[in-house]
Amino acid sequence: MKNALKVTIALSGVLALSGCADLVTGGPLIRPGEPLGAIRVVNATGSQLNAVLISACSASTYGLNRLPDGMAIPSGGAYDFTVSAGCWDVAGGTIGVGDARGRMQVAPGQTFTLRIY
């Protein structure tokens, strides 16, 4: 599992460069015309979270890192992602340490909180 996040990030980068990014993005976080909710990722680890991958449950991968470029979530910190209501797969991790994953159903107008330990 420790290498799963590194492999996913590396593969995503390679495929993006080869023009196949649409196959691995995990889909848009906001789908036009759908009600919105949010996913709050809370870092309950002793390290920073370097990547948060989010994809629609129907996607074939966890998608790309959805954090802004150069950003990490510090230990004890949190970051909110606005998403369309519905089913989402989320993976968060620290490079060289490991990752955690979860599936959630985000209700319209609500914030689903996922703690990464």
Side-chain angles (χ1 to χ4, degrees), residues 31-73:
R31 296 178 292 261
E34 294 187 14
L36 300 178
I39 298 170
R40 175 173 293 139
V41 177
V42 177
N43 182 357
T45 71
S47 302
Q48 66 181 10
L49 289 178
N50 301 107
V52 176
L53 312 178
I54 302 176
S55 66
C57 292
S58 60
S60 61
T61 70
Y62 274 89
L64 302 173
N65 184 10
R66 303 295 186 143
L67 288 172
D69 286 341
M71 188 203 171
I73 303 173

Side-chain angles (χ1 to χ4, degrees), residues 36-40 80-85 104 106-107 109-113:
L36 300 178
I39 298 170
R40 175 173 293 139
D80 290 354
F81 298 89
T82 300
V83 297
S84 288
M104 64 209 59
V106 177
Q110 300 294 311
T111 298
F112 187 100
T113 299

